[in-house]
Amino acid sequence: VQLQASGGGLVQSGGSLRLSCVVSGSTLDYDGIGWFRQAPGKERVGVSCISSSDGSTVYSESVKGRFTISRDNSKNTVYLQMNNLKPEDTAIYYCARASPPHCLARDNTWGPGTLVTVSS
């Protein structure tokens, strides 16, 4: 299974970005997908995930109310809409197979991710 994250970039504080995660080798009918991020000098942490079965979602407290995860099964793609971005959201964002309620990554391999930089 391969997951390719894209959509990062440089944005000012308060701005928005939408990240995409294209899944190949599996389908969203079977796999929940999560977004994770790693800020400079910090550990990778979970941001949000969405289930394969009922579309239920989970968010970390730091992004709740600002980020929205969604999926398009026809495109085998999961999105992360990020609004009201803050400088502390600056990180490399990764997607991986993961499901609610704990949103733990199933696999121990990570793609290159996509860099989000929020300027103040």
Side-chain angles (χ1 to χ4, degrees):
V1 179
Q2 291 187 328
L3 297 93
Q4 181 67 49
S6 63
L10 173 64
V11 63
Q12 289 187 333
S13 181
S16 298
L17 282 174
R18 188 178 79 158
L19 306 184
S20 299
C21 175
V22 178
V23 180
S24 58
S26 180
T27 73
L28 298 183
D29 293 331
Y30 300 109
D31 282 317
I33 300 296
W35 284 97
F36 302 78
R37 68 185 182 185
Q38 186 168 20
K42 297 187 177 181
E43 293 185 351
R44 185 182 289 122
V45 296
V47 174
S48 179
C49 66
I50 186 167
S51 78
S52 61
S53 55
D54 60 3
S56 60
T57 58
V58 175
Y59 296 92
S60 68
E61 286 300 319
S62 61
V63 307
K64 197 174 292 184
R66 300 188 298 121
F67 291 11
T68 303
I69 191 170
S70 62
R71 65 184 189 189
D72 185 338
N73 286 24
S74 68
K75 296 181 179 180
N76 234 29
T77 300
V78 172
Y79 303 99
L80 186 69
Q81 178 66 44
M82 306 186 297
N83 298 328
N84 190 22
L85 283 160
K86 304 176 181 180
E88 51 263 41
D89 295 318
T90 294
I92 299 174
Y93 284 71
Y94 305 86
C95 55
R97 293 193 293 177
S99 297
H102 303 297
C103 297
L104 299 177
R106 285 179 53 185
D107 307 308
N108 201 26
T109 56
W110 299 87
T114 187
L115 176 63
V116 172
T117 304
V118 185
S119 63
S120 57

